[in-house]
Amino acid sequence: MYTFNELQTQIENRIDALEFSTPPEGLFEPMKYILSIGGKRLRPILVLMAANLYKNDLEKIYLPAIGIEVFHNFTLLHDDVMDHAPIRRNMATVHEKWNSNVAILSGDAMSIKAYQFIVSCENKHLSPVLEVFNQTALEVCEGQQFDMEFEDRTDVRVEEYLNMIRLKTAVLLGGSLKMGAIMGDADEHDADALYQFGMNLGMAFQLQDDMLDAFGDEAVFGKKIGGDILCNKKTFLLIKAQELAEGETKIALEKWIRLEDFNPEEKIAAVKTIYEGLKVRDLAQIEIDKYFELCLDYLASVKVDELKKANLSLLVKRLINRSV
């Protein structure tokens, strides 16, 4: 069995070796750029880890796995344009380094490249792999649309938010694992169980991300704390706080949401104090723990030797502790 770090190294080396030499360079240079600025490579690693439960030879699975990473980065590239984000992984975003038209067109090309890599899987796996990927890709777009619509709404419910992050984030983790299981020749039960494992892992991870954005340690979290608070992003914390707040607390929270001219540090501190008073941090942790437990329950139902599942169990623990 390969370890997470071994697979991460393999993916990095193979991404570095990719050649996009066809003119025009202006189309392919942004693709190389966004792929070169790093990331955990979690999704392609999940493809490989799932396949590795059933087979040792992963050579024919590396390129489809990289296809998932290319697709993921395509979504990030377009997300950055829609969000007007200037920075991605401490580097200038593609639309900042070039322009929005370049980012959109290079993103389109990346989505096509993703398909080219994914269809390199063995012919016997092609139809079920594409079925999972197509459904997943469509759901990611649905999630992004919901996320954009939430920006202009003041009545978003927790259930709607959880569905949005399921679509925007969790389905791609689940889909990555299911595609890997299919390419590893897993049976339908195990492929579905691994999908649910990834889905619940994605839900826990995104909710944890929400909480760490408000309450994390910048040195550990890897970015400035409070960004979601400053832009009134609809997260579990904010939605739950709006649901629970009453009287003076509700007035104060709505004031900070409406205020356009403010001291950033003062707003972050004030909203965090409201969150603490309403115990929404504790409620978020309960949700996170619930999804992590579901994740491990689904992994336990996969019908392979426990030693083979150890790497996935370890990955969950590392994600809980944010050591990945």
Side-chain angles (χ1 to χ4, degrees):
M1 299 294 293
Y2 292 97
T3 67
F4 182 95
N5 290 340
E6 287 171 341
L7 293 173
Q8 190 175 49
T9 299
Q10 283 284 345
I11 288 291
E12 289 290 358
N13 291 342
R14 289 166 190 258
I15 287 175
D16 289 344
L18 289 176
E19 293 186 5
F20 302 109
S21 56
T22 306
E25 187 174 314
L27 179 66
F28 294 104
E29 192 62 31
M31 294 167 56
K32 291 191 287 186
Y33 171 75
I34 193 169
L35 285 169
S36 73
I37 62 176
K40 302 178 188 70
R41 312 301 191 196
L42 178 60
R43 291 149 193 86
I45 292 170
L46 288 176
V47 174
L48 296 165
M49 291 179 85
N52 199 202
L53 292 174
Y54 307 95
K55 61 172 59 172
N56 294 322
D57 183 3
L58 303 179
E59 195 58 39
K60 294 180 180 178
I61 301 173
Y62 280 109
L63 197 55
I66 289 171
I68 292 295
E69 182 68 3
V70 172
F71 174 78
H72 173 58
N73 278 268
F74 143 68
T75 67
L76 298 181
L77 196 155
H78 276 193
D79 282 359
D80 288 340
V81 174
M82 287 182 274
D83 294 342
H84 308 290
I87 299 293
R88 165 71 63 183
R89 299 168 186 149
N90 297 316
M91 300 284 285
T93 50
V94 169
H95 69 273
E96 285 287 322
K97 187 173 174 63
W98 284 274
N99 59 59
S100 292
N101 288 340
V102 167
I104 291 167
L105 190 58
S106 289
D108 292 343
M110 286 186 81
S111 70
I112 296 166
K113 278 291 181 185
Y115 269 100
Q116 288 181 335
F117 293 156
I118 289 166
V119 300
S120 70
C121 68
E122 293 185 79
N123 286 338
K124 65 179 179 177
H125 300 137
L126 183 57
S127 179
V129 163
L130 279 179
E131 184 179 349
V132 173
F133 178 67
N134 287 338
Q135 182 62 33
T136 299
L138 181 60
E139 288 177 332
V140 170
C141 294
E142 291 170 359
Q144 177 65 13
Q145 180 64 34
F146 281 131
D147 197 19
M148 291 191 299
E149 291 176 0
F150 289 175
E151 292 177 10
D152 300 318
R153 286 180 51 191
T154 58
D155 61 344
V156 178
R157 293 175 288 110
V158 167
E159 294 78 10
E160 291 179 286
Y161 175 73
L162 292 174
N163 184 52
M164 183 274 288
I165 64 172
R166 179 184 67 84
L167 293 166
K168 186 175 177 180
T169 300
V171 295
L172 189 52
L173 270 65
S176 297
L177 282 151
K178 187 167 185 176
M179 289 168 63
I182 291 168
M183 288 185 281
D185 295 315
D187 65 24
E188 186 175 351
H189 170 274
D190 278 10
D192 289 340
L194 285 165
Y195 180 84
Q196 293 297 332
F197 165 78
M199 278 272 291
N200 285 285
L201 185 64
M203 295 295 290
F205 188 78
Q206 185 57 56
L207 286 164
Q208 189 183 60
D209 222 49
D210 291 353
M211 193 164 70
L212 290 174
D213 188 89
F215 296 105
D217 181 335
E218 286 186 14
V220 176
F221 190 41
K223 63 181 181 180
K224 198 162 182 62
I225 297 301
D228 289 347
I229 292 173
L230 294 178
C231 67
N232 302 322
K233 185 170 178 62
K234 305 296 192 307
T235 65
F236 180 92
L237 296 171
L238 178 57
I239 296 167
K240 201 67 180 175
Q242 289 179 301
E243 176 188 311
L244 295 174
E246 297 177 341
E248 293 298 318
T249 301
K250 186 176 184 66
I251 292 170
L253 179 59
E254 294 304 320
K255 181 202 78 170
W256 283 112
I257 291 171
R258 290 194 306 270
L259 207 59
E260 295 183 4
D261 185 16
F262 53 82
N263 177 292
E265 297 304 319
E266 185 181 359
K267 178 174 180 176
I268 291 169
V271 173
K272 284 173 65 173
T273 297
I274 291 170
Y275 287 170
E276 293 280 26
L278 295 171
K279 300 189 185 308
V280 293
R281 180 181 184 178
D282 296 336
L283 294 173
Q285 189 61 58
I286 290 169
E287 285 291 309
I288 292 166
D289 292 343
K290 178 186 78 175
Y291 283 113
F292 273 131
E293 287 172 13
L294 280 169
C295 171
L296 292 173
D297 286 345
Y298 278 109
L299 182 59
S301 74
V302 174
K303 303 188 301 292
V304 299
D305 187 274
E306 292 302 317
L307 288 174
K308 290 187 174 183
K309 293 187 281 189
N311 282 336
L312 285 170
S313 297
L314 179 60
L315 174 61
V316 174
K317 292 173 184 175
R318 292 177 68 183
L319 287 172
I320 291 172
N321 297 321
R322 304 298 281 203
S323 58
V324 169

